[in-house]
Amino acid sequence: MLHSKLTKMKKILTPIMLISFFYTGYSQKLQEAGVPAAVKTKFASLYPGVKSIEWEKEDGNYEAEFKQDQTETSALFDASGSLVQTETEMAVTALPRGVLDYVSKNLNSKKITEAARIVDAGGQVTYEAEIGGRDYIFDAKGNFIKAEDDDPEDDEDNH
């Protein structure tokens, strides 16, 4: 009887473990030693004085998460050290009016739990509003672009 229970548990746990293993490949924590020198050098030149950095590897890029002036910030670099984008946490009330209007009209005024300003390497600004486990992306004027599932790795830091 005990053997059959263990067999059933293995059948249940094995798929869960496999999913967990493959999921962690999407975004994984890194020790600083695993970050290319070009990335660390570029980060230090852009953010001098920042000491507490959490590194992750995400889709072949390197993401540095840190606080700058008490604000959660992340910078994404490619392997050669080129800045891909920055994401800076912001107050929900500071989002463009179009974002708030969209949420009110299309999402039944659901609560925005987090907001961020994203700037890509070319200087293009977009905004991200996290609502109900999904990230809603808007252009600089607050026009809706797309919605995507939130990265559960980010939920570790939610307040």
Side-chain angles (χ1 to χ4, degrees), residues 46-67:
L46 293 172
Y47 304 100
V50 172
K51 300 290 183 214
S52 182
I53 309 159
E54 288 186 24
W55 289 99
E56 290 185 8
K57 189 167 184 183
E58 186 175 297
D59 294 332
N61 291 318
Y62 296 85
E63 181 178 30
E65 294 179 354
F66 56 98
K67 281 194 176 187

Side-chain angles (χ1 to χ4, degrees), residues 28-43 53-57 61-64 75 77-79 81:
Q28 60 191 108
K29 300 268 186 218
L30 283 179
Q31 297 295 322
E32 189 171 337
V35 178
V39 173
K40 292 188 283 190
T41 300
K42 184 66 171 184
F43 178 86
I53 309 159
E54 288 186 24
W55 289 99
E56 290 185 8
K57 189 167 184 183
N61 291 318
Y62 296 85
E63 181 178 30
F77 300 89
D78 66 18

Side-chain angles (χ1 to χ4, degrees), residues 8-147:
K8 286 181 183 177
M9 284 182 63
K10 283 182 187 177
K11 287 181 180 179
I12 293 170
L13 290 176
T14 300
I16 292 171
M17 290 171 51
L18 286 172
I19 290 168
S20 296
F21 173 76
F22 288 113
Y23 177 75
T24 57
Y26 171 75
S27 174
Q28 60 191 108
K29 300 268 186 218
L30 283 179
Q31 297 295 322
E32 189 171 337
V35 178
V39 173
K40 292 188 283 190
T41 300
K42 184 66 171 184
F43 178 86
S45 73
L46 293 172
Y47 304 100
V50 172
K51 300 290 183 214
S52 182
I53 309 159
E54 288 186 24
W55 289 99
E56 290 185 8
K57 189 167 184 183
E58 186 175 297
D59 294 332
N61 291 318
Y62 296 85
E63 181 178 30
E65 294 179 354
F66 56 98
K67 281 194 176 187
Q68 186 175 36
D69 300 325
Q70 302 301 316
T71 302
E72 292 288 333
T73 305
S74 69
L76 189 66
F77 300 89
D78 66 18
S80 68
S82 295
L83 181 66
V84 175
Q85 73 175 31
T86 58
E87 183 172 327
T88 308
E89 184 179 61
M90 62 186 290
V92 170
T93 55
L95 286 166
R97 184 79 213 148
V99 174
L100 303 175
D101 289 345
Y102 178 88
V103 172
S104 176
K105 291 176 187 171
N106 298 291
L107 300 171
N108 299 322
S109 296
K110 286 186 178 176
K111 184 179 183 204
I112 300 172
T113 53
E114 288 185 10
R117 181 176 188 262
I118 302 168
V119 181
D120 72 13
Q124 182 176 350
V125 175
T126 55
Y127 292 93
E128 178 183 274
E130 184 180 310
I131 305 163
R134 299 197 82 197
D135 291 332
Y136 291 79
I137 309 299
F138 300 85
D139 69 16
K141 294 180 180 178
N143 298 308
F144 176 74
I145 298 173
K146 66 180 178 177

